[in-house]
Amino acid sequence: MRCNKCGNKAEQGNNFMSEGFLWNAQFKNIELGFGYLSKFDNETWKFTLCEECVLDMVKTFKHVPQGFYIDSTPTSIETTEQHQVVFNHWKETGEWEDLRFYTYEDLKQLANYLDIDEINKMIGKYHDGKPFLNLDDYEEVDNDE
C-alpha cells in the first residue's frame, strides 16, 4: 500500500488482513465517482492517501469537516460555530484546543481526569484572573477501575 500523493509506503508490521483485504490504519482508500455530464463523465477514481496527506488536504478546507476531531474524543464543542473556531485555530497553529469553550468551573471538574498543568494552561489562556489549580487539592483517579 502506497500513498498516491507523497509516495510513503505502508510498513509490513502495521498491516493486517480483514475479510481478504490488506488494511493499514495510517492509509485511507478513497473512491470518487463522477456523474453523467461532469467534466470527468462517469469516471471513477480510486487512490490512497496516508493520514499526513489527508491532514494536509483538510488544512486547505475553508469549512471544518463534520466529525473532525470530535467523534473520537470527548469534547467541549457544542455548536458548529465553536467547531469552526477551533478548526481555524488548528489550521493556523497546529493546536486543537476544544477546552477553550469550558467554563472555569468545568475545567476545575476535569482536574481529577486531565493533567493539572494542561488545565492551568487553559485557565491562564481563557480565564485570565482566575486562580490556577493546585495539584495537592486533587486526588489521582485510577482510570483502570
Side-chain angles (χ1 to χ4, degrees):
M1 184 175 301
R2 185 178 297 274
C3 177
N4 284 83
K5 183 176 180 212
C6 72
N8 282 341
K9 189 174 181 181
E11 294 180 22
Q12 192 63 30
N14 292 336
N15 297 321
F16 67 91
M17 295 294 286
S18 175
E19 298 178 23
F21 295 100
L22 186 62
W23 184 79
N24 185 290
Q26 289 77 38
F27 289 79
K28 303 300 166 218
N29 295 315
I30 299 166
E31 182 174 321
L32 301 173
F34 296 90
Y36 183 66
L37 296 179
S38 81
K39 183 176 180 179
F40 306 103
D41 193 17
N42 288 326
E43 290 183 12
T44 300
W45 298 356
K46 296 178 183 179
F47 54 93
T48 301
L49 295 176
C50 67
E51 285 185 352
E52 289 304 312
C53 288
V54 170
L55 284 178
D56 288 344
M57 179 181 64
V58 169
K59 286 179 183 176
T60 68
F61 291 4
K62 180 175 184 173
H63 301 286
V64 61
Q66 184 177 352
F68 187 73
Y69 268 118
I70 286 185
D71 292 344
S72 60
T73 59
T75 181
S76 64
I77 297 172
E78 296 179 359
T79 67
T80 303
E81 292 78 16
Q82 290 175 342
H83 197 191
Q84 187 67 47
V85 167
V86 176
F87 178 71
N88 292 342
H89 176 78
W90 169 78
K91 289 193 313 181
E92 293 174 18
T93 67
E95 297 175 3
W96 189 262
E97 290 187 354
D98 61 318
L99 292 179
R100 71 188 309 142
F101 295 107
Y102 271 60
T103 66
Y104 177 73
E105 292 303 318
D106 290 338
L107 289 174
K108 284 175 57 176
Q109 290 179 3
L110 293 175
N112 285 326
Y113 305 100
L114 299 178
D115 182 67
I116 297 287
D117 291 334
E118 287 300 312
I119 293 173
N120 281 335
K121 192 186 309 181
M122 292 295 115
I123 289 171
K125 192 167 189 176
Y126 299 113
H127 301 286
D128 193 28
K130 295 285 189 177
F132 290 115
L133 305 182
N134 183 343
L135 182 60
D136 296 333
D137 295 336
Y138 297 91
E139 60 186 69
E140 286 190 36
V141 174
D142 185 4
N143 292 330
D144 294 333
E145 293 180 2

